């Protein structure tokens, strides 16, 4: 496989003591209205494999959860089954959306203690559950909006988590698309909130600013935003934080905040080792992507120089390209994956570049604005 599965070389902070060593993103939990049907969508369209289930049949009486995996990516889709489940209120407020960006750590107790000591709001104190599969340890803190970071230690546990049964029989829907890992997860926060959350990630999580973009980098006539990319100590985990900026009309971030009814996860970028193959399959399986005008491809070669992929193929699929000092990257964005204009996905292939596609912002935002216009939200 390509370079995407290897973490970039740690830079400046790596030598300092990291009070929150994170092994990996453990999983992303989405709260959805009908997990059974959503699971079918992520399997048949995105090519995830169903590997676990919790619900009435496994003795869980208040919710149903589906575990979906592809490469190193693990998604959990959960739907509440009873009226007083706390997720009902999340659904009422936000519709379907990302709720928990779960982090795998070696020491849950220490992760919870170190972050809450630095100001994090604790949502679940460290808890240890032992069953026939071993011991599973977890805790959770709150980040922006209703979003959580849970901490998971699964070193002594086989399987996903207590209450889940593994699905091992051959998947009836098996359409893998080559998605390999989570590259980054972006949060949208409200007006003037970005720097507060930057500070939160610095102080509470020990993260640092990896790159920042201001409204001069990222504005079209309408869709202005500001963004800072926060990275963990080893720079393995990256969480960009966006806030709206003033434009002539409504920023895409403002549209999100309005429809999600608060801050939340805007997009999840999934890395692949072959974006042409991945997007060909995803499109054939019904994933809808944003398109840019064909002029974008006329000037591409001049802007990014020589690349290994045929430009006509990229144009056919709508894949965007950008470069930085370390190389180039290819990316494409889906339309929102639910009826509210909120969460969407990015598919990304890095060929050296460590950046986030600044050179594509203009073309992309014009494309987003066309969609906002159709929704009456511009
Ligand atoms: Fe992104």
């Amino acid at each position: 496989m390509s370079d995407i599965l290897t973490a970039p070389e740690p830079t400046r902070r790596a030598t300092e003591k990291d009070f929150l060593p994170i092994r990996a993103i453990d999983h992303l939990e989405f709260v959805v209205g009908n997990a059974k049907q959503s699971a079918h969508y992520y399997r048949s369209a995105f090519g995830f494999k169903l590997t676990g289930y919790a619900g009435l049949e496994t003795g869980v009486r208040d919710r149903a959860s589906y575990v979906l995996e592809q490469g190193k990516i693990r998604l959990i889709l959960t739907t509440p089954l009873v009226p007083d489940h706390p997720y009902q209120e999340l659904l009422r407020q936000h519709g379907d959306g990302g709720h928990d960006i779960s982090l795998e750590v070696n020491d849950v107790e220490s992760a919870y203690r170190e972050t809450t000591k630095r100001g994090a709001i604790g949502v679940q104190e460290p808890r240890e559950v032992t069953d026939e599969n071993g011991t599973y340890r977890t805790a959770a803190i709150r980040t922006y909006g209703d979003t959580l970071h849970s901490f998971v230690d699964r070193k002594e546990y086989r399987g996903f988590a207590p209450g889940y049964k593994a699905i091992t029989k051959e998947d009836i829907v098996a359409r893998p698309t080559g998605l390999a890992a989570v590259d980054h997860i972006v949060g949208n926060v409200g007006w003037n909130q970005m720097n507060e959350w930057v500070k939160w990630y610095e102080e509470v999580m020990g993260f640092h600013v990896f790159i920042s973009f201001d409204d001069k980098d990222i504005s079209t006539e309408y869709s202005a935003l500001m963004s800072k990319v926060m990275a963990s100590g080893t720079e393995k985990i990256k969480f960009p934080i966006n806030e709206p900026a003033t434009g002539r009309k409504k920023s895409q971030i403002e549209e999100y905040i309005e429809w999600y009814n608060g801050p939340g996860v805007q997009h999840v970028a999934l890395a692949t080792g072959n974006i042409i193959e991945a997007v060909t399959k995803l499109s054939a399986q019904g994933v809808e992507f944003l398109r840019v005008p064909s002029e974008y491809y006329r000037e591409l070669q001049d802007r990014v120089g020589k690349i290994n992929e045929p430009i006509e193929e990229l144009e056919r699929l709508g894949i965007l390209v950008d470069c930085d000092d370390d190389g180039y990257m290819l990316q494409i964005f889906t339309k929102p994956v639910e009826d509210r204009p909120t969460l969407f996905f990015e598919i990304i292939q890095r060929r050296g570049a460590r950046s986030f596609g600044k050179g594509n912002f203009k073309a992309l935002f014009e494309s987003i604005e066309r969609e906002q216009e159709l929704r009456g939200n511009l």
Side-chain angles (χ1 to χ4, degrees), residues 183-186 240 242 266-270 329 331-333 344-348 350 355-357 361 364:
D183 186 273
H184 58 275
I185 301 171
V186 182
N242 295 335
Q266 180 209 35
H267 76 265
V268 178
L270 302 176
M329 55 96 106
Q331 62 181 169
I332 189 168
F333 296 85
F344 58 90
F345 287 86
E346 171 181 352
I347 311 300
I348 182 168
R350 294 190 180 278
S355 53
F356 290 79
F361 290 159
L364 199 58

Side-chain angles (χ1 to χ4, degrees), residues 89-133:
E89 184 56 16
L90 295 177
L91 280 176
R92 199 177 74 83
Q93 294 290 339
H94 310 304
D96 288 9
H99 176 50
D100 180 12
I101 302 167
S102 177
L103 306 170
E104 191 192 351
V105 296
N106 281 327
D107 186 341
V108 163
E109 187 77 45
S110 151
Y112 185 82
R113 190 182 56 238
E114 293 296 331
T115 51
T116 50
K117 191 171 86 188
R118 290 169 167 83
I121 297 171
V123 174
Q124 192 209 294
E125 299 222 348
R127 190 168 67 186
E128 188 177 293
V129 183
T130 301
D131 65 11
E132 67 279 12
N133 294 316

Side-chain angles (χ1 to χ4, degrees), residues 23 33 83 139 167 178 190 198 275 313-314 334:
R23 292 169 61 93
I167 309 276
V198 164
I275 198 168
E313 279 289 280
L314 300 178
T334 71

Side-chain angles (χ1 to χ4, degrees), residues 196-208:
E196 283 190 32
W197 285 104
V198 164
K199 205 168 130 231
W200 188 90
Y201 274 99
E202 285 174 344
E203 286 174 3
V204 169
M205 304 280 285
F207 281 36
H208 58 273

Side-chain angles (χ1 to χ4, degrees), residues 39-102:
H40 195 276
Y41 172 72
Y42 284 104
R43 293 160 74 194
S44 61
F46 280 85
F48 282 86
K49 190 173 159 55
L50 179 66
T51 61
Y53 169 79
L56 297 177
E57 296 82 351
T58 70
V60 173
R61 306 296 299 173
D62 63 345
R63 64 178 169 88
S65 295
Y66 292 76
V67 184
L68 301 171
E69 294 183 61
Q70 187 168 186
K72 290 181 179 172
I73 311 158
R74 197 191 277 130
L75 307 181
I76 313 302
L77 305 173
T78 298
T79 217
L81 297 179
V82 293
D84 58 353
H85 193 287
Y87 284 6
Q88 295 288 11
E89 184 56 16
L90 295 177
L91 280 176
R92 199 177 74 83
Q93 294 290 339
H94 310 304
D96 288 9
H99 176 50
D100 180 12
I101 302 167
S102 177

